[in-house]
Amino acid sequence: MSSKIDQQRSVTLHPLYGNEVTLTCDWAKFQAAAIRWSRSLRNRRRWLTSDAIIERRRQAVEQAAEIFIELKNPKKHQEIISRLAKGGIVEVTLPPFESEAKDWALRIFPWEYFLSTLTRETRKAQQPPLPFLITRVLPLEHADSDYATIADDNILMAQCAPKPLEALYSFRSEVELMRINLDLKNWDFVLPNPNSSSLKDRIAAQSPGLVHLAGFDLHQALHYLPPQISDGVGRHEDGFIISDPQGVAVALKPEQLAEIVNAGALKPALVSVNVYNSAARLCALAVAHGARVAVGFQDEIDDHLAEIFFASLYRAWHNDPDTYVLPAFQAAFEETRKLPDEYRMQGSGIVLWSNTSLLYQISAREQTLPLTERPSTGTGDGVGDLLLDIAPYQRLNYAILHNRGHLFTQFNVTRTSRNSPDKVHVEVVARVGAEEYPYRGSHSTGEVGKPEDIGKYIRIPLSWDYLRTLSETLRTTVYVRITAHDNVIEEKTYQVDVAPLEEWSDTDEDRIWLPSFVLPRDVAVIDAVAGARRYLSALSDDPNAGFDGYQSYGLYVDDPYGPVDTQVRTIWSALVLDHRLQYINPPPSYYAKAQRVRSPSEVLRRSHGTCIDLTLLLAACLEYIEIHPVLFLIEGHAFPGYWRSPQQADYFVQGDYPDGETDAEELTEAMGTPSWMYSKAHLERIYAFVSAGHLVPVESTLLTSNSGFFAACDAGIESLSDPDRFQFLIDVRRARSDPQGATPLPINNQMS
């Protein structure tokens, strides 16, 4: 029988200002909470940002706080929160490390998000509000007293992008930012694509003070590599991707990577792991095996944001006369908080681990060192070096440009010295046929060593009239010219392809814009709905019946969804009886995963369509009558569905299960998708809402076989039943309401 001590765990919170706080938890409950919250943080890209949702998540944190004995008492709870909120910096000190299996939940728990959310309202009430930073301490039984330093450029960067990942990411700007901000004279610090043995040998021979690891974690790599890559690690476990002796990608366990980075006689003062999902285990075990400090990310992070963070960290660390890490980390963290919203993420995803307290590094000075640059007489009016990182998309799709998407995958400009120009003039010209579509603008180049993203400002006014005449892909060019003080810094022409207007591609870049092809204002949709009204009168047994969307939801207690279902059934019946649709193969397309999409006007005029055409037609009709459609994408197929009430659609996003059980954070990892797309990680949740009758899939290909509506609903459930084939659910209403969402293309019976 286990003792009470075995059933509990404690952590100690050390504020910079004020007395320490001990929190004790029920170990069984805490383990479940740690898994749930860490998964939720990995899904934070999907979080909505309305005040109501933010407040709901704060309440969820308050409820979760009750797993700690000291926070159950309301009075003591508020006392502790007030003490932490005034702490400035709070170190979360865990029990001494014994093994990976011991106390694992304490290490994966997202302390940064939990404590910052728990104290947010109290901190906001302070005048002026105090800065707030969370770090973690993982004490070691026998920590080294001497660590390697970064003196004499004792630094190592390992670029780990083995085949076939090497084509997905360029390390150029990351390397250059390290060189600039650490004032390195050459590029000897870079070790390209090592295998585990060569990396270990290099560290053993050099004992670097800083080890910077860049590349891919296992979760991200599984989007591009076969599942066998996780053999020996576990598909749902954390891991780091590195080359094998043949240059092919393999995964390292966290403990294997930890042994490698600590192979030197002197352990590193800092290990930076610039990959997704690196904080919980990769960084924690690096410290557990000897490194003094490790920095990583709780979940995903924007690549540009990560580069800015590490550039700021290294600049402040290099300038610190004592090479203290904590003041540099605090300064870099505050620097990222000043960035535009599009680069910031919900929650607090940057994590610092140390094997001993670092608070003395701040308290000894009473303030953070500023992010100053090295002394220079430069004025910013010269023509010194600028680091340019420019790459346009190879294939332009009008749906991307229509939805304010970027023309460039990267367009970053970085000043390499104080003499570098502080402003540049950018000219971009897209040539489409005989037409030219220019962009011109002047932009600040920002601070020295900090990439300035100019690409987010570049928009080109592609001509709608010309684009709709394109029947095939057009190979054309994008011209880029960058000048400063009348000197040409860069002038280059890139070859790109312009896709036909009606083309949609089932790729990571284009898939998200499928809602733009749902065209509720197409004249054929308007006519079809108008013609369906006579069927609605018949099915409702009401001559005055009209399409009122969800207004009649709940009108009948015994059948609250009945009026909504009747409207959808009416649309279905009108399409079947009035248009006699037939199935047809897609029009020819000469690019992988690309498909020509027929508009509702073309489908109804010619009485035929593919599964995607019929899906978009039915979805457009539902959106027109203000019933919220969804789009199901499964392997080789698509079909629509609809929410039977807007409340259930909201519950799906917010985290309430159909049976009323509240578990707001039970959303698992789904990388790189916007808020209106739900991946296989959400399939269990989708099944729950379908089974409860809140979400109805409809097999739209049955429009071509004169089938009834209820048969189509049964077939929709059957089409959704194979979890291996499922890919995405796309919520059209979410796509419309999201600030970065997908609105209908400005087509009115034009795609033919």
Side-chain angles (χ1 to χ4, degrees), residues 510-668:
D510 289 1
R511 181 185 302 117
I512 63 175
W513 306 119
L514 185 58
S516 286
F517 293 88
V518 177
L519 308 174
R521 298 297 301 177
D522 186 297
V523 293
V525 170
I526 298 172
D527 291 343
V529 172
R533 188 175 177 277
R534 65 184 186 275
Y535 297 111
L536 181 62
S537 296
L539 291 173
S540 304
D541 193 23
D542 179 3
N544 298 314
F547 291 104
D548 59 4
Y550 293 113
Q551 293 184 42
S552 53
Y553 165 69
L555 188 61
Y556 306 108
V557 176
D558 58 338
D559 187 13
Y561 295 130
V564 176
D565 293 336
T566 298
Q567 293 174 74
V568 181
R569 183 184 174 196
T570 297
I571 296 294
W572 177 273
S573 300
L575 292 175
V576 169
L577 298 173
D578 292 349
H579 298 281
R580 302 297 177 179
L581 298 169
Q582 295 181 331
Y583 187 84
I584 191 173
N585 287 329
S589 182
Y590 308 106
Y591 286 83
K593 296 191 175 182
Q595 182 170 333
R596 300 289 186 87
V597 176
R598 299 178 177 92
S599 70
S601 286
E602 184 181 359
V603 172
L604 296 182
R605 182 170 61 250
R606 304 191 181 188
S607 298
H608 61 217
T610 64
C611 66
I612 193 74
D613 299 334
L614 299 170
T615 295
L616 298 174
L617 168 64
L618 187 54
C621 291
L622 296 183
E623 187 177 19
Y624 183 73
I625 64 173
E626 298 186 353
I627 290 176
H628 304 324
V630 301
L631 312 174
F632 292 99
L633 299 182
I634 66 175
E635 185 179 338
H637 188 47
F639 54 96
Y642 66 97
W643 291 106
R644 299 176 83 190
S645 78
Q647 291 86 355
Q648 290 300 333
D650 289 338
Y651 292 159
F652 179 85
V653 174
Q654 296 173 16
D656 287 357
Y657 281 96
D659 60 6
E661 177 187 353
T662 299
D663 193 355
E665 308 306 328
E666 197 66 32
L667 293 175
T668 55

